[in-house]
Amino acid sequence: MRAAIAWVGLGLIAGALVWAAVSVVLYFGHENDGITVRVTISIAIAVLFGLATLVMAPRWRAEDPAPDRDARMIAALAAAGVGVVLAVLLYAEVSEGSVGPVGSLPAQLHAWLVIGAVVLGTFLMLPLADRPSTRPLSHSFPAFTAGTLSVVLCGGLVHTALFPQVGHRTAGDLGEPAPTPETVTEVGWSWEPEHGTSVEGIEVGTHGPLVALSDGLVSLDGTDGSEIWSYRLPASTETDVEAWVDGDRVVLVQEPLDGSDDATADVLDLETGEPLPGLQQISQPRSGDIDDHVVARTGKQVVHVEFAERVEDPTVLRSGSAETGEQQWSTSLPSEDGLACYTGTPEWLHGLLVTGHLCEEAEGYDGGMLGYTEDGDEAQVEHTVVALDPETGEQVWERSWTGPGDVGPPQAASGGHPTEGADPVIVVETGEEGPALVLDPATGEDAVTLPERAEDLQFAGFLGADSESATYMLDREDGLPEIERATADGAPPETAETGGFVSLEMEGAVALGAAALTLESEVSAGAPHPRVQVHGFEGRRGTVTEGGISLTREDEGFPGRQMVAVPGAVVAVINTEVEAARVTRENWTEEAVRGLTH
């Protein structure tokens, strides 16, 4: 029995050597996983001691002499000493506030396993009076195998259960994407994440929606809702996930919720989900607070803005290397001196950094609100929209005009996914009575010029725009809005009545080639029911689709949240949280995606 126990101990040592090699292969070069210098030294010492024990302790040949009592005592003391040294050395690498292996990073926990197996295996040989002999093999081999497999199986469980890997599935050749539909008539498909995972937002992918989740990304086919590729973090990962689309790639940023580490970024190909070489696990600055926060992330740079505490001081926009954090450029907004300004948050739009501000001369500023005189009368101020080159921070174009100062800075946004054959644009809103602009991103010139508005109409916001047309909402004096479409050729605008109150809040409207869509939540039986109304353009007047398109069953009551036009469909996000009394992490899904098709 003692011989069998001794061979189990030798098996533990052999398993530790095997798992040490596996750990090095898995984590070598990954400091974020804990494979630091001290961890590497700890594993190396444990391997050398274990290898010496495995070679010298057993009687591999019958003529090998048995050790005397003093030699056995020295071996015991050596094992204990090595174990203590390794434990102390490794403990210095463990996360602050944890005890023993608890809270260790992956490589650290595997190092604990290797050290523990070597030390325990050495002590299991001590009760045997003689050196363990390989004979008979029918006794030694099963015990040795059992010890080896126990360490390997334990290491495998640690690797897969405690530190599961990213679930990553890429796409092959996808062919040409489907066009965005001209109109929609039904819910063609539905997609929901697993219970406990929420939909953070929708971006436009190459062949459909790119769904940003609380644990990663999923790219869907807009025609049928099938998954094209996915990049999902382990369920045990407690991070805040954010996605940034940068041309033909997407940047997935992960920020640990406990604030213990910097954020990291993985850069993927937008079409296939393939990781781009050299752009994985890039250390990133955290998003920061309202006074200094990130406004854009790409595979090359991180752009953040620092708002001034006083209107007389400029807002500062800075760009740093995504890999090293080294500052690449810095610029002031506005660039001129002697102005008092309200500056909006810069936006990453079609490869440019676009921001708006309204200013007046600092010399005449009395310390009150911009845009008003000392008597409280409304004053005229300078409104400006500026586009910057993200590579250099230099100005690409600027649009400015004089207008009333009782509104905030001009707000720039993307016009949305363009219709087939058109180009994307930037839209600018400046309040109910100010100008509404549709700009070419390359030059800042007007892509579509909106017609003069009647005095009884106020601008309520864009539904969508591209280089061929712009669709927007106007508020009438009677409180009922209408939807209007202007074209680049200057033809009389088409108009569609909404049939009732419509709000553009929460991104609840989309413009298509032959229709405009609004996302509404009708309240019946005490619960909201999300419904998409289709407003068709037919010549000078449009029609309202009777009843609209319901996004839930009659017995469900959940509000809608977002609607986006993508290749192959229009997708809407609705909340689907169950009643609070029954919510657990296993039984709730915060949002679902509905695909509207024709």
Side-chain angles (χ1 to χ4, degrees):
M1 176 59 73
R2 291 183 177 181
I5 293 175
W7 276 107
V8 169
L10 288 168
L12 291 176
I13 296 174
L17 299 182
V18 171
W19 198 252
V22 172
S23 299
V24 171
V25 172
L26 288 175
Y27 299 112
F28 183 76
H30 294 270
E31 289 195 14
N32 290 333
D33 289 321
I35 191 72
T36 60
V37 173
R38 277 187 286 195
V39 171
T40 305
I41 293 174
S42 300
I43 294 176
I45 295 175
V47 167
L48 291 175
F49 182 79
L51 189 62
T53 303
L54 196 61
V55 170
M56 300 173 61
R59 298 178 64 187
W60 297 104
R61 297 176 300 178
E63 60 271 19
D64 288 343
D68 55 29
R69 193 174 187 85
D70 292 340
R72 292 171 58 78
M73 185 61 66
I74 292 173
L77 292 175
V82 169
V84 169
V85 170
L86 292 177
V88 171
L89 187 62
L90 186 58
Y91 188 82
E93 292 295 310
V94 178
S95 301
E96 184 178 356
S98 62
V99 179
V102 178
S104 299
L105 294 171
Q108 296 169 356
L109 197 54
H110 288 299
W112 282 108
L113 176 62
V114 170
I115 293 169
V118 169
V119 174
L120 178 60
T122 303
F123 278 100
L124 286 180
M125 292 188 299
L126 297 182
L128 189 64
D130 196 359
R131 295 171 66 186
S133 174
T134 57
R135 298 181 181 181
L137 284 176
S138 59
H139 291 173
S140 61
F141 183 75
F144 181 81
T145 303
T148 302
L149 291 179
S150 64
V151 176
V152 174
L153 290 175
C154 185
L157 286 174
V158 169
H159 181 66
T160 58
L162 295 183
F163 302 104
Q165 302 302 295
V166 170
H168 193 186
R169 186 168 65 86
T170 59
D173 185 15
L174 299 176
E176 291 296 320
T180 301
E182 288 287 298
T183 187
V184 295
T185 56
E186 62 180 356
V187 177
W189 52 265
S190 179
W191 184 88
E192 295 186 20
E194 297 82 0
H195 291 301
T197 303
S198 61
V199 178
E200 300 296 320
I202 300 290
E203 300 288 345
V204 180
T206 59
H207 289 70
L210 178 66
V211 185
L213 301 171
S214 55
D215 65 355
L217 297 170
V218 173
S219 179
L220 302 179
D221 188 327
T223 60
D224 58 11
S226 60
E227 293 190 12
I228 297 175
W229 60 264
S230 61
Y231 190 89
R232 307 289 294 275
L233 303 177
S236 59
T237 304
E238 295 184 352
T239 59
D240 183 24
V241 177
E242 192 175 18
W244 297 80
V245 174
D246 175 24
D248 59 356
R249 54 190 180 180
V250 57
V251 182
L252 181 66
V253 181
Q254 310 158 39
E255 291 191 15
L257 292 178
D258 59 5
S260 58
D261 297 307
D262 288 339
T264 57
D266 296 310
V267 185
L268 312 174
D269 183 87
L270 182 61
E271 180 174 349
T272 65
E274 290 280 356
L276 299 185
L279 295 177
Q280 305 303 303
Q281 290 296 293
I282 306 172
S283 181
Q284 300 266 290
R286 300 180 69 87
S287 292
D289 54 32
I290 191 64
D291 294 325
D292 185 0
H293 69 276
V294 174
V295 298
R297 296 183 193 264
T298 72
K300 298 180 179 179
Q301 63 189 138
V302 179
V303 182
H304 60 102
V305 61
E306 182 179 348
F307 289 103
E309 294 183 1
R310 305 186 312 154
V311 295
E312 298 97 320
D313 298 328
T315 292
V316 179
L317 193 64
R318 294 188 176 91
S319 173
S321 168
E323 297 186 45
T324 65
E326 181 180 355
Q327 181 170 302
Q328 297 173 324
W329 54 261
S330 175
T331 188
S332 298
L333 300 173
S335 57
E336 299 88 356
D337 296 328
L339 298 176
C341 301
Y342 291 150
T343 301
T345 302
E347 300 286 346
W348 177 269
L349 301 173
H350 306 301
L352 297 171
L353 289 164
V354 184
T355 186
H357 47 260
L358 59 85
C359 303
E360 65 178 55
E361 294 293 334
E363 185 177 346
Y365 175 62
D366 61 1
M369 292 186 63
L370 290 179
Y372 289 89
T373 65
E374 294 182 2
D375 300 329
D377 297 328
E378 185 179 297
Q380 297 291 301
V381 296
E382 188 80 4
H383 297 251
T384 306
V385 178
V386 178
L388 304 179
D389 183 347
E391 296 288 337
T392 63
E394 296 178 354
Q395 180 176 304
V396 178
W397 51 260
E398 175 183 296
R399 290 290 299 270
S400 61
W401 63 94
T402 300
D406 61 342
V407 295
Q411 299 294 315
S414 171
H417 189 63
T419 55
E420 189 173 9
D423 297 321
V425 296
I426 293 173
V427 296
V428 179
E429 298 182 12
T430 58
E432 296 178 343
E433 299 180 0
L437 306 177
V438 182
L439 306 180
D440 181 346
T443 64
E445 298 295 326
D446 290 326
V448 178
T449 302
L450 273 57
E452 292 286 336
R453 295 194 294 272
E455 293 184 0
D456 61 341
L457 294 176
Q458 292 183 326
F459 187 81
F462 283 101
L463 281 73
D466 56 32
S467 60
E468 294 185 353
S469 66
T471 305
Y472 48 94
M473 188 170 291
L474 300 171
D475 284 337
R476 302 191 309 220
E477 283 188 341
D478 59 8
L480 294 179
E482 64 180 38
I483 297 172
E484 194 169 88
R485 168 169 291 168
T487 56
D489 59 10
E494 297 177 294
T495 304
E497 293 184 352
T498 62
F501 174 75
V502 176
S503 173
L504 296 187
E505 295 180 357
M506 304 300 290
E507 302 180 78
V510 164
L512 300 177
L517 312 181
T518 54
L519 177 60
E520 306 170 16
S521 291
E522 297 180 351
V523 178
S524 61
H529 294 270
R531 186 177 299 274
V532 174
Q533 298 289 353
V534 183
H535 313 284
F537 291 99
E538 297 179 359
R540 290 285 297 169
R541 307 299 296 176
T543 59
V544 178
T545 302
E546 292 294 332
I549 304 173
S550 178
L551 300 181
T552 58
R553 299 190 305 267
E554 291 183 0
D555 59 341
E556 293 179 324
F558 308 114
R561 188 170 67 84
Q562 185 184 15
M563 190 162 59
V564 180
V566 299
V570 173
V571 294
V573 180
I574 62 171
N575 293 335
T576 59
E577 190 174 40
V578 300
E579 295 178 7
R582 297 187 288 115
V583 171
T584 67
R585 181 162 179 81
E586 288 74 28
N587 77 351
W588 72 277
T589 300
E590 187 174 335
E591 288 100 4
V593 180
R594 302 285 193 260
L596 284 74
T597 58
H598 182 50

